[in-house]
Amino acid sequence: MSSANGENPKILQNFIDGQYVDPVKASSVKYIPVTTPHTGKIIAQCPVSTAEDVDKAVEVAKKAFKAWSSRTVKDRVQALIRFHNLLYTHIEELAELIILEHGKNKSEAIASISKGAETVEYAISLPQLIQGKILEVSRGVSCQDARVPLGVVASIVPFNFPIMVPFWTLPIAIATGNTLILKPSEKVPLTMNRVVALLKEAGIPDGVVNIVNGTVDAVNAICDHPEIKAVTFVGTSHVANLVTERCQKLGKRVLALGGAKNHLIASPDCNIETTSTDVVNSFSGCAGQRCMAASVLLTIGSQQALLDRICDKASNLKPGSKPGEVGPVIDKLSLDKINSYIAESERAGAKILVDGRHWTSEKTEGFWIGPTVILHTNKNDKALHDEIFGPVLSIYESSSKEEAIEIENGNPYGNAACIYTTTGATADWFISRFNAGMFQYLEPFSFGGINRSKFGNFMDITGDGGVEFFTWRRKVTTRWGTGDLDLKLKM
């Protein structure tokens, strides 16, 4: 494993046909340094694969598909049962990799592995969930349907959850009989680089799961390859839209999840302790680098007691990797972006209630910024509308519930929303009016927003939506005559 102090950085390879292999053009391949956000030191070198590497992965995945898809779903999930056990056997090792390359604290890293394991558990249950239907629709006529895998599929995943997001797709894709090409984020390639070895140990046949590392060239090659039947993507809305358009021009099935700007609304009757704890955990957890993080808190009227508790709890958070501490953001580009939004809000007249920028100057290494709380008076402030992807909470005091829902409805994303209240009628009023796909999400329910948070085939990425995306339905109608049977009986 790579060291956090940057000594002897690991030279990563692709994982194709059950083996770690150098890129096809090994003599001329470029490498991107992988840094640990704790210090900024280089811990690995990630290859920038080309279309030739994607071709090679597709070739072996297509070959493996014939045998893998011919096995029953009950047989396929046996390997996932063994893999599930291996995930927990190696959970400490995998958590340390996540901490090293991403910056999550220990409890967040463990939790992200457990969330990934929940999708494995869902896939393990597929023999009970995807049974086909059969019905005698007329005398002597029967109809049945069954789910059929697509073939070679691909998943392009982001940096913010090195194991959980790849497992939104991987277990369901292969349990339903497909073979998979995964392109991890070049910022966090180490975790899945280790996970594929565990998949092999669990008995997943060679060629069923392959990794092609890289950047835009690998992404374009995946989108363009005629033998890749479906593509999933998670990342920014801008790139999600580009991936969707590129795939759809070829008539390819695609599901691309984009950005988010999640709105929380606090009713005057909300429980202050519960609300403040939940809001702070949401916007500062994982350093705000998650698409379900709280971005905007809209209070209905002035709620000074709630704001005071939020600020008090946010101010007491410490930097670090222990449970309850806030880790660094992924890189300097992200850090600079977050700082720019805070500075711009301040220039526009917003009040910085909690300023986490001092972490940046106090930490001599790495990419650190503390939880920051901004009170806006102008509804047009960019921080209220753009995805910042950092530990920043924007607060706006709405004059009424109608103004609060107008602000939420006006945002171009549609990922998640939340109402804090102790009154059922208030909760129902907001739930019926929110413009978002999720008001909470837990397995086994599917994950997915609406509007500019999701592009492509309008299914969700996990659960039943994932099964629907990675299969097509074969419908068979049969009618058998009785002539041969009568003849045999007479004989």
Side-chain angles (χ1 to χ4, degrees):
M1 188 174 75
S2 306
S3 61
N5 61 14
E7 296 176 359
N8 301 318
K10 183 181 180 68
I11 307 299
L12 295 178
Q13 298 173 294
N14 294 328
F15 186 82
I16 297 176
D17 205 14
Q19 304 294 326
Y20 292 101
V21 296
D22 291 329
V24 173
K25 295 180 177 179
S27 61
S28 60
V29 66
K30 296 179 181 178
Y31 286 85
I32 294 177
V34 181
T35 59
T36 175
H38 299 278
T39 64
K41 298 291 180 62
I42 297 173
I43 56 174
Q45 296 284 352
C46 179
V48 180
S49 300
T50 64
E52 287 84 353
D53 298 298
V54 174
D55 287 341
K56 182 177 180 181
V58 171
E59 180 183 352
V60 301
K62 185 178 179 181
K63 181 179 178 181
F65 173 72
K66 184 175 182 180
W68 181 244
S69 61
S70 68
R71 294 164 66 166
T72 65
V73 63
K74 290 176 64 177
D75 186 25
R76 289 193 294 264
V77 302
Q78 292 304 309
L80 286 176
I81 292 172
R82 295 189 292 271
F83 173 68
H84 184 270
N85 292 331
L86 287 171
L87 269 181
Y88 281 101
T89 300
H90 294 270
I91 194 167
E92 290 289 330
E93 174 195 357
L94 295 172
E96 289 300 323
L97 279 173
I98 293 170
I99 294 168
L100 174 66
E101 67 176 349
H102 178 272
K104 293 187 190 297
N105 70 36
K106 183 65 175 289
S107 59
E108 291 167 346
I110 293 287
S112 70
I113 297 167
S114 296
K115 288 299 295 181
E118 287 182 5
T119 315
V120 179
E121 291 159 10
Y122 176 87
I124 289 170
S125 67
L126 284 179
Q128 287 72 47
L129 296 176
I130 63 169
Q131 299 174 23
K133 299 177 182 178
I134 185 167
L135 179 70
E136 187 178 27
V137 294
S138 185
R139 184 172 297 177
V141 180
S142 294
C143 287
Q144 68 179 65
D145 71 5
R147 294 192 175 274
V148 180
L150 305 178
V152 181
V153 299
S155 287
I156 304 162
V157 294
F159 75 84
N160 59 324
F161 283 93
I163 195 168
M164 187 187 78
V165 174
F167 275 77
W168 281 353
T169 56
L170 188 156
I172 297 172
I174 66 173
T176 51
N178 302 284
T179 54
L180 177 72
I181 296 167
L182 177 74
K183 198 216 77 74
S185 168
E186 65 278 9
K187 297 180 181 182
V188 292
L190 292 169
T191 304
M192 287 306 297
N193 183 75
R194 178 69 180 104
V195 166
V196 287
L198 299 180
L199 286 165
K200 182 179 175 75
E201 184 179 342
I204 299 294
D206 294 346
V208 171
V209 177
N210 307 275
I211 283 183
V212 176
N213 292 291
T215 57
V216 64
D217 288 344
V219 171
N220 288 341
I222 286 170
C223 294
D224 295 344
H225 204 292
E227 294 294 343
I228 295 179
K229 305 302 182 184
V231 175
T232 66
F233 171 88
V234 180
T236 67
S237 293
H238 173 68
V239 180
N241 191 36
L242 293 176
V243 167
T244 299
E245 290 179 349
R246 193 162 188 139
C247 290
Q248 288 182 334
K249 284 181 180 178
L250 300 174
K252 186 173 297 188
R253 189 177 295 199
V254 57
L255 175 58
L257 300 191
K261 193 68 177 176
N262 305 314
H263 290 69
L264 316 181
I265 298 179
S267 172
D269 69 341
C270 71
N271 182 291
I272 290 176
E273 281 303 307
T274 300
T275 303
S276 60
T277 296
D278 193 59
V279 170
V280 172
N281 288 342
S282 181
F283 92 84
S284 66
C286 297
Q289 298 172 125
R290 53 185 178 186
C291 61
M292 291 294 284
S295 301
V296 178
L297 173 64
L298 303 173
T299 64
I300 301 175
S302 177
Q303 298 185 39
Q304 192 61 48
L306 174 61
L307 268 58
D308 289 344
R309 290 300 289 142
I310 289 172
C311 292
D312 180 59
K313 292 175 182 179
S315 299
N316 284 310
L317 292 170
K318 305 298 181 185
S321 299
K322 296 177 182 178
E325 295 179 336
V326 179
V329 295
I330 190 65
D331 55 22
K332 189 176 186 303
L333 185 66
S334 179
L335 179 62
D336 290 345
K337 174 186 175 184
I338 295 164
N339 275 315
S340 71
Y341 273 99
I342 299 170
E344 184 174 349
S345 296
E346 194 171 29
R347 287 193 298 270
K351 185 176 181 181
I352 311 300
L353 302 181
V354 179
D355 195 339
R357 289 175 290 185
H358 65 92
W359 285 18
T360 305
S361 57
E362 291 170 359
K363 288 279 192 178
T364 57
E365 294 182 310
F367 315 113
W368 298 86
I369 184 164
T372 298
V373 180
I374 306 172
L375 180 61
H376 299 267
T377 56
N378 186 342
K379 287 189 287 187
N380 296 319
D381 286 353
K382 287 182 66 177
L384 279 167
H385 303 282
D386 297 350
E387 184 179 43
I388 300 174
F389 225 57
V392 178
L393 177 69
S394 288
I395 299 177
Y396 181 81
E397 296 177 336
S398 306
S399 60
S400 64
K401 68 180 188 295
E402 287 80 13
E403 183 184 26
I405 202 68
E406 179 185 1
I407 293 171
E408 190 279 334
N409 284 181
N411 108 88
Y413 300 105
N415 199 55
C418 181
I419 170 68
Y420 293 98
T421 180
T422 54
T423 305
T426 301
D428 287 344
W429 190 91
F430 279 99
I431 289 171
S432 67
R433 290 166 173 81
F434 276 139
N435 187 35
M438 295 177 285
F439 309 132
Q440 185 50 281
Y441 154 74
L442 291 171
E443 294 290 349
F445 291 94
S446 296
F447 184 99
I450 58 175
N451 301 334
R452 287 193 62 80
S453 289
K454 183 167 66 176
F455 300 80
N457 296 88
F458 290 95
M459 306 166 191
D460 289 328
I461 203 166
T462 59
D464 293 346
V467 172
E468 196 71 33
F469 181 80
F470 285 116
T471 61
W472 58 274
R473 291 178 183 270
R474 174 187 286 136
K475 284 77 66 177
V476 179
T477 302
T478 57
R479 179 178 181 179
W480 302 109
T482 60
D484 291 342
L485 178 62
D486 292 342
L487 179 62
K488 290 177 182 178
L489 290 174
K490 290 176 181 179
M491 293 176 63

